[in-house]
Amino acid sequence: MSAMRNTNWDRRTVLRAAMGLAAAGGLAACGSNNGRGGGSGSGTSLTQYFHAYGEAGTEQAVKRYAKAYDKADVSTQWITGSNFESKLFSALLTDNAPDVFEFHPQIQLVKSGQVADLTDIIEPVKDDFNQADIASHTIDGKIWGVRMIDDPQFFYYRKSMLEDAGIEPPTTLDELVEAAAKLTTSKVKGVFLGNSVTPVMNPLIWSTGADTLDDKNQIAYHTDAVADGLGKLRTMFKEGHLLLDAPADWWDPSAITQGLVAIQWCGMWAMPVIEKALGDDVGIIPFPASGPGGKQAVTNGGWSMFVNAKSKHLDEAKEYVKWLWIDQKEYQEDWALSYGFHIPPRTSLAESADKLKTGLAAEGVKLFNEFGHFDNPAWTQAMIVALEGVVADAVRKGGSAEAALDKADRTVNRELKKLFG
């Protein structure tokens, strides 16, 4: 879901700072107003944190689900602005910490004792979840979060603009560079990769056949093919073929719906809005293959529900999460399909989701299944920020890709040593 979907970007630095402070033990309380209600008949009050999703109706839906729960009084903090993580992690260090919160699977949450083990509530239905989601939430043999939605990200393109320029949808990065040049006019830019260009760093790595880390949790992204790919992004940037000043960032489809760009990186959540604006004049493709061992790539983002291990109402919080995100399939389906398009992580719901069975949505599901890359919980915030620095140094500033990757290696290796010794 769009508005805060840039979970990797500007806010990463804030979160890294917050986590550093968390490790040091010092963040002041965020104030005493925790938004908790007066309690239900059970006498238990729970608070849940959500970032502000962009699609209309999402806040009302979350609050409607919570209101339907009769074993506790559940209040929702709907956190607007671009600093959801900093507010979440600041709050987690205080007496006003949420009992339940959404985030992404991250190993440091487990190692710091911040999230509760949810194996007991997920185990009975584990086989009905996308097994890649189960794997990404499993650390030390235990399952730590419940996936709510899976969010594939890929390129949308204007069919008519490509036809007018006489080009086919790109299947290689070289073809994307050529397309960007041919599609750029005085009024339209060829490609939108986000205002910072950072959203496509991971897909670029995957498109070469490489990965962020290997199965021994060692650096796997620093290859000649990745350095070469960064050079191709630099070419598009330097030649002025990338849209860099869009009124809204990559997670919002307005750049392509308003005709500012011919090809835009965005998420499946935006598909209904894009189709409403452009009708049949839109197609989707994965991030194109790059380099000799290359393969097309799709990012699978998404959000998961976690329970604060330090909650004063730990059992009640787990019971609520089980009720909403495991037992209430009607609400899970509503959340995935009524406010933009998301793939339900529950296999049974994904298979019965009629809205995803035809047209562009069915293509999106196919790309998700064929080319998708899921969360790696060992890939931490500091590592993400380090690779954003690679894009800034090598693509935006035009520095040496090798030097930028070397610089990232130092940060990533330091983090890996902290996590794994």
Side-chain angles (χ1 to χ4, degrees):
M1 296 179 180
S2 56
M4 299 279 297
R5 194 56 71 164
N6 56 341
T7 51
N8 286 13
W9 299 282
D10 307 340
R11 301 177 295 145
R12 291 298 190 191
T13 319
V14 178
L15 176 53
R16 187 174 44 160
M19 290 193 128
L21 285 167
L27 270 186
C30 289
S32 59
N33 176 18
N34 61 11
R36 290 189 176 160
S40 66
S42 69
T44 301
S45 294
L46 301 174
T47 299
Q48 58 180 355
Y49 270 28
F50 277 77
H51 81 279
Y53 288 83
E55 293 85 334
T58 46
E59 182 178 6
Q60 292 80 0
V62 164
K63 291 179 175 176
R64 188 174 76 249
Y65 309 153
K67 193 174 180 184
Y69 187 61
D70 60 10
K71 291 189 179 176
D73 177 39
V74 183
S75 62
T76 303
Q77 291 273 353
W78 190 257
I79 297 171
T80 57
S82 60
N83 56 349
F84 170 67
E85 280 101 336
S86 66
K87 287 183 179 174
L88 168 64
F89 281 89
S90 298
L92 286 173
L93 301 175
T94 74
D95 291 339
N96 296 326
D99 303 284
V100 173
F101 58 91
E102 66 169 0
F103 199 58
H104 317 285
Q106 293 268 334
I107 199 168
Q108 69 266 51
L109 287 171
V110 175
K111 289 190 175 277
S112 64
Q114 192 66 69
V115 292
D117 175 10
L118 302 183
T119 310
D120 57 334
I121 66 171
I122 300 171
E123 188 73 42
V125 292
K126 184 170 79 169
D127 293 345
D128 188 40
F129 273 86
N130 185 314
Q131 292 306 294
D133 282 322
I134 293 293
S136 68
H137 290 70
T138 301
I139 296 165
D140 297 333
K142 297 172 182 173
I143 306 170
W144 300 91
V146 184
R147 193 63 147 193
M148 300 181 292
I149 43 175
D150 281 320
D151 279 334
Q153 296 155 31
F154 32 62
F155 280 118
Y156 290 88
Y157 66 91
R158 292 288 297 273
K159 291 178 180 176
S160 59
M161 290 185 181
L162 269 66
E163 282 165 17
D164 290 348
I167 53 178
E168 293 292 319
T171 58
T172 68
L173 189 54
D174 286 328
E175 288 173 6
L176 183 69
V177 174
E178 285 174 36
K182 287 180 181 170
L183 292 163
T184 299
T185 68
S186 58
K187 294 177 182 172
V188 177
K189 292 289 186 181
V191 179
F192 184 38
L193 304 176
N195 287 328
S196 66
V197 193
T198 54
V200 295
M201 183 65 206
N202 277 20
L204 172 67
I205 292 166
W206 298 323
S207 78
T208 67
D211 207 339
T212 49
L213 301 172
D214 64 19
D215 54 10
K216 293 178 182 167
N217 290 313
Q218 295 172 331
I219 287 172
Y221 59 79
H222 192 156
T223 68
D224 290 344
V226 169
D228 190 47
L230 287 163
K232 290 167 186 174
L233 297 186
R234 171 64 186 169
T235 297
M236 289 190 283
F237 181 93
K238 187 176 63 180
E239 300 294 334
H241 302 152
L242 296 181
L243 178 66
L244 296 168
D245 52 359
D249 214 342
W250 71 278
W251 39 258
D252 184 290
S254 55
I256 194 163
T257 58
Q258 293 174 14
L260 305 177
V261 72
I263 301 174
Q264 173 176 348
W265 185 258
C266 194
M268 190 157 156
W269 57 83
M271 196 174 276
V273 171
I274 292 173
E275 288 194 289
K276 188 177 179 184
L278 302 177
D280 293 334
D281 188 25
V282 62
I284 53 173
I285 49 169
F287 193 93
S290 179
K295 43 186 90 168
Q296 293 167 302
V298 166
T299 303
N300 285 336
W303 291 88
S304 308
M305 195 50 65
F306 297 89
V307 172
N308 180 1
K310 296 165 186 171
S311 166
K312 295 180 181 115
H313 305 290
L314 181 60
D315 291 339
E316 293 90 341
K318 284 177 66 174
E319 195 176 345
Y320 170 64
V321 168
K322 177 183 182 296
W323 174 83
L324 179 51
W325 297 110
I326 291 176
D327 298 340
Q328 302 301 313
K329 283 196 169 186
E330 185 187 336
Y331 291 151
Q332 293 157 34
E333 185 175 39
D334 181 64
W335 188 237
L337 300 169
S338 298
Y339 317 95
F341 284 171
H342 314 262
I343 298 175
R346 296 290 288 271
T347 312
S348 56
L349 288 180
E351 286 172 353
S352 66
D354 289 341
K355 290 180 180 177
L356 304 182
K357 286 183 177 171
T358 57
L360 208 59
E363 282 184 54
V365 173
K366 187 169 180 284
L367 295 186
F368 167 86
N369 288 326
E370 197 171 342
F371 301 112
H373 292 261
F374 285 73
D375 298 281
N376 179 348
W379 189 248
T380 68
Q381 309 302 101
M383 298 176 195
I384 291 161
V385 173
L387 286 199
E388 289 172 355
V390 170
V391 174
D393 291 346
V395 178
R396 295 181 68 92
K397 295 175 188 169
S400 155
E402 275 299 329
L405 289 165
D406 285 340
K407 182 177 160 188
D409 290 351
R410 292 192 284 275
T411 299
V412 173
N413 278 323
R414 197 162 56 238
E415 283 292 296
L416 289 171
K417 192 167 184 189
K418 272 194 283 187
L419 287 172
F420 303 108

